[in-house]
Amino acid sequence: LLATLSTTVSAGATVEITSADGTVVDSFTAEKQLSSVAYSSSAIANGTSYSIVVNDQTVGQATAGEQVSSSMGGPGGGQPGNMQPGSRP
């Protein structure tokens, strides 16, 4: 399970992984500041959606077994003004 979080989670916060019905699958204390969560367990079922919850607030969601998309795109993606590497403004 790989989830990008909507907000940064502070070190020391309790992070819960919950199923669609709200059942807490697991919880842990963040050892450092987090912006994403990678989690693996036999309790996680492929194709099932899970939420990442901190302080009773959902900060991320993911479906187990699905790849997380990035806003950076492929080669040359994320360049300012859609410029390709090596080109000049």
Side-chain angles (χ1 to χ4, degrees):
L1 179 71
L2 183 59
T4 300
L5 306 180
S6 61
T7 187
T8 302
V9 174
S10 301
T14 300
V15 179
E16 297 178 333
I17 299 174
T18 63
S19 60
D21 67 1
T23 301
V24 176
V25 175
D26 200 359
S27 66
F28 60 92
T29 301
E31 294 182 13
K32 60 181 184 175
Q33 198 173 38
L34 303 175
S35 60
S36 63
V37 170
Y39 178 81
S40 180
S41 167
S42 60
I44 299 295
N46 271 345
T48 302
S49 294
Y50 296 90
S51 296
I52 312 302
V53 178
V54 177
N55 297 327
D56 295 320
Q57 180 180 4
T58 299
V59 296
Q61 294 182 320
T63 300
E66 287 187 0
Q67 184 176 8
V68 175
S69 63
S70 170
S71 62
M72 294 301 288
Q79 297 292 324
N82 238 359
M83 295 176 57
Q84 295 300 312
S87 64
R88 295 182 178 221

